[in-house]
Amino acid sequence: MKPSKFTIELDIDGSKYLYNSLSNAYAKIDEDHYETYLKIKNNDTDYDEKMSIDLYNGGFVINDNEDEIGYMNFFEKVMRYGSSSLGLTIAPTLQCNFRCKYCYEVHENSFMSEDVQKLLIEFVTN
């Protein structure tokens, strides 16, 4: 096991806390868990297995073969290119009220038709 690259150790008023920004886990830990965490961090293989499982479940330590950066890259691609969410930019009119002097756009007095509005609502509903 090894500590997660996203784990932050905190000492607040004499109490030990761990926070993992990847799993968003936050825990006040006792001395036994903290000792186990330090042993894992220092590559000491003589640590309490039960304590290490607790730390693993919180995301504070990970298996040696896990690639957190690869996971983050994969997750970023899924979020960016996945189809689990829909983002729309709806322009009910192309009019612009800034009227910048350098603008080359033709400002037409047009609006989204009611038919297009209905189709858009139907699309989003589906």
Side-chain angles (χ1 to χ4, degrees), residues 28-44:
K28 179 179 181 180
I29 59 172
D30 58 32
E31 286 298 320
D32 292 335
H33 280 89
Y34 188 65
E35 182 180 322
T36 300
Y37 176 78
L38 289 179
K39 284 183 177 182
I40 292 170
K41 184 177 175 181
N42 294 321
N43 294 320
D44 184 348

Side-chain angles (χ1 to χ4, degrees), residues 96 98-105 107:
C96 175
F98 287 123
R99 300 291 189 249
C100 302
K101 293 179 182 179
Y102 54 83
C103 183
Y104 56 88
E105 293 290 327
H107 298 285

Side-chain angles (χ1 to χ4, degrees), residues 105-123:
E105 293 290 327
V106 176
H107 298 285
E108 297 178 9
N109 194 16
S110 63
F111 297 90
M112 185 184 292
S113 70
E114 285 190 35
D115 289 339
V116 172
Q117 292 175 31
K118 289 176 185 173
L119 288 171
L120 178 63
I121 291 169
E122 182 181 325
F123 175 74

Side-chain angles (χ1 to χ4, degrees), residues 15-94:
S15 295
K16 304 293 185 194
Y17 296 85
L18 293 178
Y19 172 70
N20 186 279
S21 61
L22 181 61
S23 67
N24 205 27
Y26 175 75
K28 179 179 181 180
I29 59 172
D30 58 32
E31 286 298 320
D32 292 335
H33 280 89
Y34 188 65
E35 182 180 322
T36 300
Y37 176 78
L38 289 179
K39 284 183 177 182
I40 292 170
K41 184 177 175 181
N42 294 321
N43 294 320
D44 184 348
T45 57
D46 183 31
Y47 55 81
D48 186 311
E49 197 67 34
K50 183 185 178 309
M51 301 285 174
S52 69
I53 291 170
D54 292 341
L55 293 168
Y56 178 83
N57 288 337
F60 305 118
V61 298
I62 59 173
N63 290 319
D64 289 329
N65 61 349
E66 288 185 54
D67 179 13
E68 291 177 302
I69 302 303
Y71 171 77
M72 289 296 298
N73 288 334
F74 171 76
F75 187 70
E76 184 266 333
K77 298 282 188 280
V78 167
M79 293 304 293
R80 180 178 289 188
Y81 302 112
S83 61
S84 63
S85 65
L86 173 66
L88 291 177
T89 301
I90 301 171
T93 178
L94 296 178

